[in-house]
Amino acid sequence: MYSEKVMDHFMNPRNVGEIEDADGVGQVGNAKCGDIMKMYLKIEDGIIKDAKFKTFGCGAAVATSSMATELIKGKTIKEAEQITNRVVMEALDGLPPVKVHCSVLAEEAIAAALQDYRRRNGLEEDDRYKGCSGCCGGCGSVEMHHGTENDEEAE
Amino acid sequence: MYSEKVMDHFMNPRNVGEIEDADGVGQVGNAKCGDIMKMYLKIEDGIIKDAKFKTFGCGAAVATSSMATELIKGKTIKEAEQITNRVVMEALDGLPPVKVHCSVLAEEAIAAALQDYRRRNGLEEDDRYKGCSGCCGGCGSVEMHHGTENDEEAE
Amino acid sequence: MQKQIIYFDHAATTYVKPEVFEAMKPYFLQEYGNPSSIYSIGRSNRKAVEDARISVAKSLGAAEPSEIYFTGSGTEADNWAIKGAAQALRKKGKHIITSSIEHPAVMATCEFLKKEGYDLTIIPVDSEGLVHPDDVDKAIRPDTVIVSIMMANNEIGTIQPIKEIAQVCRKHGVLFHTDAVQAAGNIPIDVKDLGVDLLSVSGHKFYGPKGTGVLYIRKGVRIENFIHGGHQERNRRAGTENVPGIVGLAKALELAVENMDAHTRKLTSLRDRALKGITERIPYVRVNGSLERRLPGNLNVSFRFVEGESVLLMLDMKGIKASSGSACTSGSLDPSHVLLAIGLPHEIAHGSLRLSFGEINTEEEVDYLVDSLVEILDKLRNMSPLYEDFVKGENKNV
Amino acid sequence: MQKQIIYFDHAATTYVKPEVFEAMKPYFLQEYGNPSSIYSIGRSNRKAVEDARISVAKSLGAAEPSEIYFTGSGTEADNWAIKGAAQALRKKGKHIITSSIEHPAVMATCEFLKKEGYDLTIIPVDSEGLVHPDDVDKAIRPDTVIVSIMMANNEIGTIQPIKEIAQVCRKHGVLFHTDAVQAAGNIPIDVKDLGVDLLSVSGHKFYGPKGTGVLYIRKGVRIENFIHGGHQERNRRAGTENVPGIVGLAKALELAVENMDAHTRKLTSLRDRALKGITERIPYVRVNGSLERRLPGNLNVSFRFVEGESVLLMLDMKGIKASSGSACTSGSLDPSHVLLAIGLPHEIAHGSLRLSFGEINTEEEVDYLVDSLVEILDKLRNMSPLYEDFVKGENKNV
Ligand SMILES: Cc1ncc(COP(=O)(O)O)c(C=O)c1O
Ligand SMILES: Cc1ncc(COP(=O)(O)O)c(C=O)c1O
């Protein structure tokens, strides 16, 4: 079902973790849909010096997170904005049709983290980023995603 | 599907043929249903001295004809009248349900031949015999069976 | 009574070819996973199913593998096509067209829909068993939802002008289904060239396994699902895939298409040999169906004055397996509806024999068949009151 | 990554046992005749089918072999039972009752009928997945035509009080169907004692072949046919009989019933060993379904903060095959409707794993599974933003 590249990035994900003093943090998706991506960026002089992620989700979600962080590291913000879900998918040698939404999530997670960076730095917000298109139609803005439905107790 | 007895009487039918100077001849069934039995009886002093048959029909039709002639040979007319389809079937170790009508036909062929004998000899006709019950519901009296739908040309 | 079995009933069912069996085997014992599973044992199964789909698509000339749906039988494919189309197009109308010589899988399905309130037009056939496209043209109404005409008949082997009928249907914008259960693997099929919308196949007519079938659904054609449930077959036919069955069907069809020329030559030659022997040596015989537009392996003859089952049983005692009408309808008292439809009187229809030749048959077997028939017909006619009447009538005429 | 495969997904499908395969084999290659034929090769097939029917009747406790109908899958049996009853009883009404944890084969069939204008009542289950007979009692209306409640659930293994539900239905004179696809061959079934009217079975859940099923129809119960066509199965299910499949299903069920005690002991012990290992060594785990009324081989657990497919894939990399929810529904984005029905929040339902043990499994395999899960959960939770939030929250609370 998954390409070898996907399986490689799933089994050996690059850039897993947090960045304590991140310059931008974005989280998209929600637990209801089964996918949450949280992206941490370290940005210096408009260049993405480091990127890390945490992901709750399926194999494709983990692999696209991993690939997306790989693709944006060392890029300028402008360049990072060009990393669409299509680019991530191609870098992974494709995804099964039912998993395409995961790559959309990766694109949106980057966008959300960049938006957070702009906001923190008083930069003009990118009106291209209108919030997540929604893995399952239920998503709203970045803030809304954060921590939703994450407070129920497992027995 | 058929018992060994049925197959034996089908493959080696007893009493096939005509009796030139028969005392009673009966024919039942019709070609439309795929079964016709013609029974010839030689009767002396109220005893069936000989019985022969010709049958157009399936394995069960041939076997019941054969068994029926065997059963009535040497019997008095009264005794022969007791040979119901059930008796013929039992003597053959049974028939598949869809073939039970063939044994009815055998009973009726005997009855028709005996009726013919009575008629020829001015004896009282047996009101028990009302004509064939019909292998396929389409039959009427003995006369009607005779030769019906038997005149179409094969190409 | 000889011990060896001579099988002339390949239209009823075929054995599974050893190559086909070998292809199926691993999917029973080792590669048994569920194709819907995401792990690797399930994935190899998934691949086997999708490879089979590609292969069947190629064998039938489909534009895309996604037009191929695996079913549990030819009958299921027929039910699905007709009921599914009727249901999907309810708003358009409730009129169905079929022919008078369809297999019960189509005929009983149409009769069921008739009971449900559908109008049913049954197109007659000519004396060779052919449907005339013009008759279809005339029968189509604005409320017609589907036309179902079989590609090749299972009893008399007649091959219909499917391409022409498909054109008529397309002209009217009406869905066209063909039951190709007897055709598939026996004559070339190219669904694109034929222009059909729906086409049914059954695995066990070309040396594949029983309990397997295919419904071809042309891309863009929407019919209602028939078996509802899980997401198998792209949400259109539910039930855990019969992986060995699917692999076997595809392999068998592949082999059949590969060997089509040799198969046709061999079966036609056996058929013609039998035909010649029978008609030369047995009087009062009628050959049923078209001699030109005919399945290579099919021969259907009527022997006057005798009844078919008797002939079959006596052949069976000689080790020869054949059929009288369709195997499916044995047990019924009525003679074959197909033989009646081509105009045979009942008593002659009753005396009919279907011989369907296959790849294992030999000329020696055919010669033995003819010898056996000569002997059997002699015996049965001597036992027949109809023959007696006929001979007496003849003698009178002399 | 180890090469050997460890299969813990027997609820999705099983391999075919070698004895079963051997029983099927002759019907592919030698005894290939059509059971509807009258000649001897067909007759031996007929006998094989009828012997299988007798055997299945015995295995299920049916009063008569004639109550057993062979189908092309468990899904087909479910479709037939529900649609057939609905159609036959249309005059009585258009109300159907089912439960919230049915397999898609039942659920999608009911949804289809709903689209056709039927009223559908879906009975909820409690937190263990149990249907309460009282709820069925209350749901039955004068226009109810059928109640369909599964015998044992495919995801959480819960066994329903079928006898009690059947009594409720009988009291009201309403037909009762149970999908026993997961139950058959795994727990004892006695249709007479249960008092059900209709019961579905699938061959590939107890080491029999895929693409085979059974519908038990109690004597006297009249439902409309589902697959129309030839006269097979006493005119009630058309299509050339899948003789090897039927023989295989019967043989597999026979073996399962014979070995039921040992099977139950072994699977329960493996299941309990896994349960103990997992709950002792992994925190934040929830066990789903009843521990008392449960299929012996079923274990269903939810791991908080992680997503099920990731767990499955990592297990797969270690050679371990399991399932997350039902195999049939993988490919869907929604978490299992069964887990939601027993009250799990979405995110916890997403992190669920179904382990279904089988006769080939060993204690060593179970121990390896537990070790693997410990390692995998550690890795995935470290990658999970939900776990990060949870830990930070915990820390804050300290
Ligand atoms: C409870 C239940 N019902 C029905 C089915 C469908 O059976 P089949 O796959 O044979 O169609 C399954 C399994 O797939 C099942 O687990
Ligand atoms: C023309 C035709 N259609 C349909 C069928 C039904 O196929 P199956 O037996 O696979 O259901 C048959 C044969 O049985 C057939 O000959």
Side-chain angles (χ1 to χ4, degrees):
Chain A
M1 154 171 149
Y2 288 133
S3 70
E4 275 180 40
K5 273 251 180 78
V6 172
M7 284 311 291
D8 176 37
H9 275 265
F10 169 67
M11 290 304 288
N12 312 295
R14 284 54 146 181
N15 313 311
V16 174
E18 303 168 47
I19 301 178
E20 290 286 324
D21 56 344
D23 300 305
V25 180
Q27 180 172 318
V28 295
N30 69 43
K32 193 165 180 196
C33 309
D35 289 300
I36 297 176
M37 281 188 203
K38 191 168 187 179
M39 195 74 74
Y40 298 85
L41 301 181
K42 187 88 210 137
I43 300 177
E44 279 170 29
D45 304 327
I47 287 169
I48 296 167
K49 288 287 179 193
D50 199 8
K52 289 214 181 295
F53 78 92
K54 288 225 169 164
T55 287
F56 162 83
C58 63
V62 172
T64 51
S65 306
S66 165
M67 180 55 87
T69 51
E70 281 288 276
L71 287 173
I72 59 173
K73 267 163 67 173
K75 297 275 193 321
T76 64
I77 291 178
K78 276 260 136 13
E79 285 166 343
E81 282 170 356
Q82 310 306 312
I83 310 292
T84 60
N85 77 306
R86 193 164 291 274
V87 176
V88 177
M89 261 172 64
E90 273 163 20
L92 286 168
D93 294 342
L95 283 176
V98 295
K99 298 295 187 181
V100 171
H101 72 282
C102 296
S103 64
V104 175
L105 222 55
E107 177 185 339
E108 290 170 350
I110 297 171
L114 290 173
Q115 194 79 331
D116 181 47
Y117 167 77
R118 290 196 200 88
R119 200 181 300 119
R120 291 192 199 188
N121 293 277
L123 299 174
E124 201 181 332
E125 300 195 17
D126 181 5
D127 58 357
R128 200 181 52 99
Y129 180 65
K130 297 280 184 225
C132 130
S133 65
C135 58
C136 54
C139 311
S141 68
V142 188
E143 282 72 35
M144 267 188 60
H145 295 169
H146 192 83
T148 9
E149 300 191 49
N150 183 18
D151 36 25
E152 281 169 283
E153 189 59 28
E155 177 178 311
Chain B
M1 150 170 153
Y2 288 133
S3 70
E4 274 179 39
K5 274 249 179 79
V6 172
M7 285 310 292
D8 175 36
H9 275 265
F10 170 67
M11 290 304 289
N12 311 296
R14 284 54 147 181
N15 312 311
V16 174
E18 303 168 47
I19 301 179
E20 290 286 323
D21 56 346
D23 300 305
V25 180
Q27 178 171 318
V28 296
N30 70 45
K32 191 165 181 195
C33 310
D35 289 300
I36 297 176
M37 282 188 202
K38 191 169 186 178
M39 195 75 72
Y40 299 85
L41 302 180
K42 188 87 207 137
I43 299 177
E44 279 170 29
D45 303 327
I47 289 169
I48 297 167
K49 288 288 178 192
D50 198 10
K52 289 213 182 293
F53 78 91
K54 288 224 169 164
T55 288
F56 162 83
C58 62
V62 173
T64 50
S65 306
S66 165
M67 180 56 86
T69 50
E70 281 289 274
L71 287 174
I72 59 172
K73 267 165 65 174
K75 297 273 191 325
T76 64
I77 292 178
K78 276 259 136 13
E79 285 166 345
E81 282 170 355
Q82 310 305 313
I83 310 290
T84 60
N85 77 306
R86 194 165 290 275
V87 176
V88 176
M89 262 172 66
E90 272 163 21
L92 286 168
D93 294 343
L95 283 175
V98 296
K99 298 297 186 180
V100 171
H101 72 284
C102 297
S103 65
V104 175
L105 222 55
E107 177 185 338
E108 290 171 349
I110 297 172
L114 290 173
Q115 195 79 330
D116 182 46
Y117 168 76
R118 290 194 200 88
R119 200 182 299 120
R120 291 193 199 187
N121 293 276
L123 300 173
E124 199 181 334
E125 301 195 15
D126 180 8
D127 58 355
R128 201 180 53 100
Y129 180 65
K130 299 277 184 226
C132 131
S133 66
C135 57
C136 55
C139 311
S141 68
V142 189
E143 283 71 35
M144 268 187 63
H145 295 169
H146 194 85
T148 8
E149 300 189 51
N150 183 16
D151 35 27
E152 280 167 286
E153 188 59 30
E155 179 181 310
Chain C
M1 204 193 293
Q2 82 167 38
K3 279 281 161 292
Q4 210 201 318
I5 279 175
I6 300 176
Y7 190 75
F8 291 134
D9 203 17
H10 293 83
T13 194
T14 53
Y15 58 94
V16 168
K17 276 193 185 163
E19 304 97 292
V20 172
F21 183 69
E22 285 309 315
M24 297 169 69
K25 204 167 150 184
Y27 299 96
F28 285 115
L29 302 171
Q30 296 112 36
E31 299 287 325
Y32 53 83
N34 191 316
S36 292
S37 302
I38 72 160
Y39 44 73
S40 38
I41 196 178
R43 287 203 293 273
S44 64
N45 259 296
R46 169 91 276 133
K47 185 162 164 15
V49 170
E50 295 316 320
D51 285 351
R53 204 184 307 283
I54 292 166
S55 153
V56 171
K58 200 167 144 241
S59 296
L60 298 178
E64 293 181 18
S66 64
E67 297 175 323
I68 302 300
Y69 296 86
F70 294 109
T71 68
S73 67
T75 301
E76 185 195 320
D78 286 340
N79 272 256
W80 182 11
I82 298 170
K83 293 177 185 170
Q87 220 142 20
L89 298 171
R90 247 180 318 195
K91 290 214 181 92
K92 188 185 178 205
K94 292 188 132 194
H95 179 234
I96 294 171
I97 298 172
T98 189
S99 86
S100 58
I101 59 161
E102 297 298 317
H103 187 271
V106 165
M107 194 49 89
T109 299
C110 291
E111 298 286 355
F112 166 74
L113 288 170
K114 193 175 169 187
K115 245 183 35 193
E116 297 285 297
Y118 283 78
D119 244 19
L120 179 60
T121 299
I122 298 176
I123 309 254
V125 294
D126 66 18
S127 62
E128 294 199 325
L130 284 164
V131 171
H132 289 259
D134 272 2
D135 290 342
V136 177
D137 195 28
K138 280 179 225 138
I140 291 177
R141 311 188 316 208
D143 62 340
T144 306
V145 289
I146 188 161
V147 174
S148 180
I149 309 280
M150 74 199 313
M151 187 156 179
N153 184 269
N154 44 306
E155 296 188 34
I156 57 174
T158 305
I159 298 169
Q160 302 296 340
I162 291 303
K163 190 170 176 174
E164 289 70 27
I165 300 172
Q167 273 162 0
V168 165
C169 292
R170 186 155 296 179
K171 188 181 77 182
H172 290 279
V174 170
L175 283 186
F176 179 54
H177 166 249
T178 189
D179 174 344
V181 167
Q182 289 290 335
N186 285 304
I187 56 172
I189 294 184
D190 184 321
V191 287
K192 270 202 309 297
D193 179 57
L194 290 172
V196 298
D197 297 306
L198 300 151
L199 180 140
S200 308
V201 169
S202 172
H204 70 101
K205 306 291 187 184
F206 44 81
Y207 312 95
K210 293 177 178 61
T212 64
V214 161
L215 182 62
Y216 159 82
I217 308 180
R218 197 166 55 75
K219 200 179 168 175
V221 169
R222 283 276 142 221
I223 62 173
E224 172 66 51
N225 288 356
F226 178 57
I227 299 191
H228 294 88
H231 295 300
Q232 295 89 353
E233 298 294 288
R234 296 180 307 291
N235 287 322
R236 288 175 87 170
R237 195 271 185 183
T240 302
E241 297 87 341
N242 176 0
V243 183
I246 287 169
V247 167
L249 180 145
K251 178 74 179 174
L253 190 55
E254 214 171 284
L255 292 174
V257 169
E258 246 171 60
N259 298 331
M260 188 76 75
D261 285 350
H263 174 86
T264 306
R265 262 197 314 278
K266 168 157 193 186
L267 268 55
T268 309
S269 127
L270 290 175
R271 194 260 311 283
D272 291 347
R273 189 179 184 95
L275 178 61
K276 187 158 175 286
I278 290 170
T279 49
E280 281 181 5
R281 295 180 53 196
I282 304 176
Y284 315 120
V285 172
R286 182 198 144 106
V287 181
N288 300 312
S290 163
L291 279 179
E292 293 80 43
R293 304 185 54 92
R294 190 186 199 96
L295 288 174
N298 175 288
L299 182 58
N300 190 306
V301 286
S302 298
F303 299 105
R304 256 187 95 180
F305 317 121
V306 303
E307 196 273 342
E309 190 199 286
S310 293
V311 179
L312 282 193
L313 285 173
M314 292 206 169
L315 284 173
D316 189 18
M317 288 296 124
K318 292 183 172 290
I320 298 172
K321 316 299 166 185
S323 178
S324 163
S326 159
C328 306
T329 53
S330 81
S332 144
L333 296 181
D334 292 329
S336 146
H337 70 291
V338 175
L339 298 178
L340 297 180
I342 61 171
L344 258 61
H346 273 72
E347 93 214 53
I348 296 179
H350 274 298
S352 301
L353 182 71
R354 178 186 73 183
L355 297 159
S356 45
F357 302 96
E359 299 185 7
I360 38 164
N361 295 139
T362 62
E363 296 192 343
E364 291 68 41
E365 290 179 342
V366 168
D367 294 344
Y368 174 69
L369 164 76
V370 174
D371 289 347
S372 302
L373 279 173
V374 169
E375 189 187 309
I376 289 168
L377 264 293
D378 194 50
K379 184 166 174 184
L380 285 174
R381 282 180 176 165
N382 274 330
M383 208 188 288
S384 167
L386 293 176
Y387 188 62
E388 180 187 319
D389 290 347
F390 175 76
V391 172
K392 284 179 184 161
E394 292 267 288
N395 291 348
K396 242 178 255 161
N397 294 344
V398 174
Chain D
M1 207 193 291
Q2 79 170 39
K3 281 283 161 290
Q4 209 202 319
I5 280 175
I6 300 177
Y7 190 75
F8 291 135
D9 204 16
H10 293 83
T13 194
T14 53
Y15 58 94
V16 168
K17 277 194 186 164
E19 303 98 292
V20 173
F21 183 69
E22 284 309 315
M24 296 170 68
K25 205 167 149 184
Y27 299 96
F28 285 115
L29 302 171
Q30 296 113 35
E31 299 288 324
Y32 52 83
N34 191 316
S36 294
S37 302
I38 72 158
Y39 44 73
S40 39
I41 196 177
R43 287 203 295 270
S44 63
N45 259 295
R46 169 91 278 134
K47 183 161 165 20
V49 169
E50 295 316 320
D51 285 350
R53 202 184 308 282
I54 292 167
S55 153
V56 171
K58 200 168 145 238
S59 297
L60 298 177
E64 293 181 18
S66 63
E67 296 175 324
I68 303 299
Y69 295 87
F70 293 109
T71 69
S73 67
T75 301
E76 185 196 319
D78 286 339
N79 273 256
W80 182 11
I82 298 170
K83 293 176 185 170
Q87 221 142 19
L89 297 170
R90 246 180 318 194
K91 291 215 181 93
K92 186 185 179 203
K94 291 189 131 193
H95 179 234
I96 293 171
I97 298 173
T98 189
S99 86
S100 58
I101 59 161
E102 297 298 316
H103 187 273
V106 165
M107 194 51 90
T109 299
C110 291
E111 298 286 356
F112 165 74
L113 288 171
K114 192 175 170 185
K115 247 183 35 196
E116 295 286 297
Y118 283 78
D119 243 22
L120 179 59
T121 298
I122 298 176
I123 309 257
V125 294
D126 65 20
S127 61
E128 294 199 324
L130 283 163
V131 171
H132 290 259
D134 273 2
D135 290 344
V136 177
D137 195 28
K138 281 179 222 136
I140 291 178
R141 312 189 316 209
D143 62 340
T144 306
V145 289
I146 188 162
V147 174
S148 180
I149 309 280
M150 74 199 314
M151 187 156 180
N153 184 268
N154 47 307
E155 295 188 35
I156 56 174
T158 305
I159 299 169
Q160 303 296 341
I162 291 303
K163 191 171 174 173
E164 289 71 27
I165 300 171
Q167 273 162 359
V168 165
C169 292
R170 186 154 296 181
K171 187 181 79 182
H172 290 279
V174 170
L175 282 187
F176 179 53
H177 167 250
T178 189
D179 173 344
V181 167
Q182 289 290 333
N186 285 303
I187 55 172
I189 294 183
D190 184 320
V191 287
K192 268 202 310 296
D193 178 58
L194 290 173
V196 299
D197 297 306
L198 300 151
L199 181 141
S200 306
V201 169
S202 172
H204 69 101
K205 307 290 188 185
F206 44 80
Y207 312 96
K210 293 178 179 59
T212 63
V214 162
L215 182 61
Y216 159 80
I217 308 181
R218 197 165 55 75
K219 201 180 167 174
V221 168
R222 282 278 140 220
I223 63 173
E224 172 67 51
N225 288 356
F226 178 55
I227 300 191
H228 293 88
H231 295 299
Q232 295 90 351
E233 299 293 287
R234 294 182 306 292
N235 287 321
R236 289 175 86 170
R237 196 271 184 183
T240 302
E241 296 88 342
N242 175 359
V243 183
I246 287 169
V247 167
L249 179 145
K251 178 74 178 174
L253 190 55
E254 214 171 283
L255 291 174
V257 169
E258 246 170 61
N259 298 332
M260 188 76 75
D261 285 350
H263 174 87
T264 306
R265 262 197 313 278
K266 169 157 192 186
L267 267 55
T268 309
S269 128
L270 291 175
R271 194 259 312 284
D272 291 347
R273 190 181 184 94
L275 177 62
K276 187 159 176 285
I278 290 171
T279 49
E280 281 180 5
R281 294 179 55 195
I282 304 176
Y284 314 120
V285 172
R286 182 199 143 108
V287 181
N288 300 312
S290 163
L291 278 180
E292 293 81 45
R293 303 186 54 91
R294 190 186 199 96
L295 287 175
N298 174 287
L299 182 58
N300 191 304
V301 286
S302 297
F303 300 105
R304 260 187 91 181
F305 317 121
V306 303
E307 197 273 341
E309 189 198 288
S310 293
V311 179
L312 281 193
L313 284 173
M314 292 205 170
L315 283 174
D316 190 18
M317 287 296 125
K318 291 182 174 292
I320 298 172
K321 315 301 166 186
S323 177
S324 164
S326 159
C328 307
T329 52
S330 81
S332 144
L333 296 181
D334 292 328
S336 145
H337 70 292
V338 175
L339 298 177
L340 298 180
I342 60 170
L344 259 62
H346 273 73
E347 92 214 56
I348 296 181
H350 273 299
S352 302
L353 182 71
R354 177 185 73 182
L355 298 158
S356 45
F357 302 98
E359 299 184 6
I360 37 164
N361 295 141
T362 63
E363 296 193 342
E364 291 68 43
E365 289 179 344
V366 168
D367 295 343
Y368 174 68
L369 164 76
V370 175
D371 289 347
S372 302
L373 279 173
V374 169
E375 188 187 308
I376 289 167
L377 265 292
D378 194 52
K379 185 167 172 185
L380 285 175
R381 282 180 175 163
N382 274 331
M383 208 189 286
S384 167
L386 293 176
Y387 189 63
E388 179 187 321
D389 291 346
F390 176 77
V391 171
K392 284 178 182 160
E394 292 267 288
N395 292 347
K396 241 179 254 160
N397 292 344
V398 173

